[in-house]
C-alpha cells in the first residue's frame, strides 16, 4: 500500500526511538520509580523526546500525549499517543518483551498505529492505517477468522487485576471452553492475534497508550477490539477484549457477562 505522510512519519519516529533504545539496551541504566509505582529510565525519556521531535517537525500543529512528557496542544484535531518503552521492567532486566507504541487519533477516533519491538526476534514492527490493512515487517497480515470459542487459542494478560474484576467468573468459563490458553502479554499477543497465530485476547490493567496502536493494527487485520464490556476505546480505557472474528468476539463477550 502507499503510505500516507502520517504513517511515514510514525515509522520514522519509531526508528528514531529505536536508535535511542539500542544505545541504552544492556547498559544497566539507573531506574527511578514514578508516583504510580511504575519504573522509568533515561531511555524512556530520551526515546520519547526523539519520537516527539520527529512528529512535531512534520506536524507542528498536532497534539501530543506521551507517557513521559504528558499532553500538549490538547485541543488539536489530531493527537499522537506515544508510549516510548512499553515494558520498561523487561527493558531494564534485559529481555526483549518491550516495544514502542505510536498511535494517531483524529478527534476521538484511532486512525493509525505503529508497534515496534526492536529487540524481539531480530526486530518486529507492525503498522496499520485506517482502510489500508495491517502489516508486520512489511508483509500484509490477517487474523485467523476462527469463529468458535472451543477452537480458539486465548492469551490473557494481567491476571491479578482481572481476578479482582466483575468478569473473573466469566473468564474462568472461557478458560474451560477454549482450545488452549497462553499468557504472551504486552505487544506480543496483539501481534500474534493480528497475524493469525492466536485468536482471542483478554487483558486488564492497561493504559490507552499501551494499546491504541495495537487496536488499529488488530482491526485493520480483520479483528474486533473493544474494552471488556464492549465499549469503544477512549483515553480512559483500562481493559481489552479482542478477537479474530465477530462471532468469536460475541461468544466470548456473552460468557464474560454471564
Amino acid at each position: 500500500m502507499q503510505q500516507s505522510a502520517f504513517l511515514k512519519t510514525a515509522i520514522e519516529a519509531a526508528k528514531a526511538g529505536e536508535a535511542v533504545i539500542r544505545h541504552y539496551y544492556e547498559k544497566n541504566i539507573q531506574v527511578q520509580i514514578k508516583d504510580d509505582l511504575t519504573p522509568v529510565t533515561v531511555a524512556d525519556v530520551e526515546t520519547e523526546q526523539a519520537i516527539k521531535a520527529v512528529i512535531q517537525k512534520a506536524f507542528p500543529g498536532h497534539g501530543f500525549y506521551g507517557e513521559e512528557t504528558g499532553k500538549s496542544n490538547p485541543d488539536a484535531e489530531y493527537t499522537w499517543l506515544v508510549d516510548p518503552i512499553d515494558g520498561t521492567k523487561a527493558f531494564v532486566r534485559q529481555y526483549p518483551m518491550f516495544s514502542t507504541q505510536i498511535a494517531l487519533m483524529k478527534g476521538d477516533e484511532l486512525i493509525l498505529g505503529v508497534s515496534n519491538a526492536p529487540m524481539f526476534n531480530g526486530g518486529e514492527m507492525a503498522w496499520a492505517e485506517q482502510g489500508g490493512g495491517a502489516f508486520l515487517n512489511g508483509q500484509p497480515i490477517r487474523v485467523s477468522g476462527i469463529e468458535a470459542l472451543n477452537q480458539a487459542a486465548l492469551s490473557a494478560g494481567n491476571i491479578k487485576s482481572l481476578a479482582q474484576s466483575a468478569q473473573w467468573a466469566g473468564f474462568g468459563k472461557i478458560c474451560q471452553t477454549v482450545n488452549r490458553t497462553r499468557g504472551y502479554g504486552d505487544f506480543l499477543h496483539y501481534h500474534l492475534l493480528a497475524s493469525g497465530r492466536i485468536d482471542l485476547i483478554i487483558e486488564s490493567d492497561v493504559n490507552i497508550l499501551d494499546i491504541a496502536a495495537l487496536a488499529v493494527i488488530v482491526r485493520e487485520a480483520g479483528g474486533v477490539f473493544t474494552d471488556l464490556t464492549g465499549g469503544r476505546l477512549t483515553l480512559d480505557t483500562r481493559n481489552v477484549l479482542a478477537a479474530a472474528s465477530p462471532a468469536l468476539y460475541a461468544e466470548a463477550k456473552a460468557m464474560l457477562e454471564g
Side-chain angles (χ1 to χ4, degrees):
M1 64 165 286
Q2 186 174 1
Q3 295 178 351
S4 71
F6 292 153
L7 183 55
K8 289 178 181 178
T9 297
I11 292 172
E12 180 186 351
K15 291 178 178 177
E18 178 176 332
V20 178
I21 287 170
R22 289 185 178 276
H23 172 74
Y24 283 110
Y25 193 60
E26 296 183 349
K27 287 195 173 182
N28 197 28
I29 58 179
Q30 185 175 358
V31 180
Q32 296 179 324
I33 303 300
K34 295 189 287 189
D35 291 342
D36 63 0
L37 302 183
T38 59
V40 63
T41 69
V42 64
D44 293 81
V45 175
E46 291 188 12
T47 300
E48 183 162 310
Q49 289 172 338
I51 291 167
K52 189 174 184 179
V54 171
I55 291 172
Q56 291 192 328
K57 180 180 178 180
F59 303 106
H62 285 192
F64 190 89
Y65 177 17
E67 176 74 16
E68 309 306 335
T69 60
K71 297 178 181 178
S72 60
N73 199 10
D75 297 325
E77 180 183 13
Y78 291 93
T79 300
W80 294 86
L81 309 179
V82 173
D83 191 337
I85 303 179
D86 179 33
T88 299
K89 292 177 183 178
F91 175 82
V92 299
R93 297 187 72 174
Q94 299 174 6
Y95 65 97
M97 286 294 296
F98 61 87
S99 65
T100 294
Q101 297 294 317
I102 302 174
L104 179 61
M105 180 177 278
K106 181 180 182 182
D108 60 359
E109 184 177 14
L110 291 165
I111 63 170
L112 176 151
V114 172
S115 172
N116 188 36
M119 309 309 296
F120 178 78
N121 198 27
E124 189 165 299
M125 182 186 288
W127 67 81
E129 190 169 18
Q130 192 176 62
F135 297 81
L136 182 63
N137 289 344
Q139 299 301 310
I141 51 176
R142 191 76 182 168
V143 294
S144 69
I146 291 288
E147 296 189 340
L149 200 57
N150 62 7
Q151 298 175 12
L154 162 72
S155 180
N158 297 318
I159 299 298
K160 180 179 179 179
S161 55
L162 190 60
Q164 301 170 45
S165 73
Q167 290 85 14
W168 181 241
F171 174 74
K173 294 176 184 177
I174 289 173
C175 290
Q176 295 174 56
T177 306
V178 294
N179 181 263
R180 62 191 178 102
T181 59
R182 295 291 187 270
Y184 297 107
D186 299 303
F187 73 92
L188 180 56
H189 55 190
Y190 296 103
H191 285 200
L192 293 173
L193 175 61
S195 54
R197 292 175 283 174
I198 63 171
D199 315 299
L200 183 66
I201 296 170
I202 295 173
E203 185 164 31
S204 64
D205 196 25
V206 296
N207 184 299
I208 188 61
L209 301 179
D210 304 335
I211 59 169
L214 295 160
V216 180
I217 292 164
V218 169
R219 288 169 177 169
E220 285 298 314
V224 183
F225 199 116
T226 71
D227 70 12
L228 287 180
T229 66
R232 61 186 301 278
L233 301 189
T234 72
L235 296 182
D236 298 319
T237 295
R238 299 292 298 170
N239 48 55
V240 171
L241 172 61
S245 69
L248 179 61
Y249 171 85
E251 188 177 358
K253 182 173 178 292
M255 200 165 285
L256 284 174
E257 293 171 345

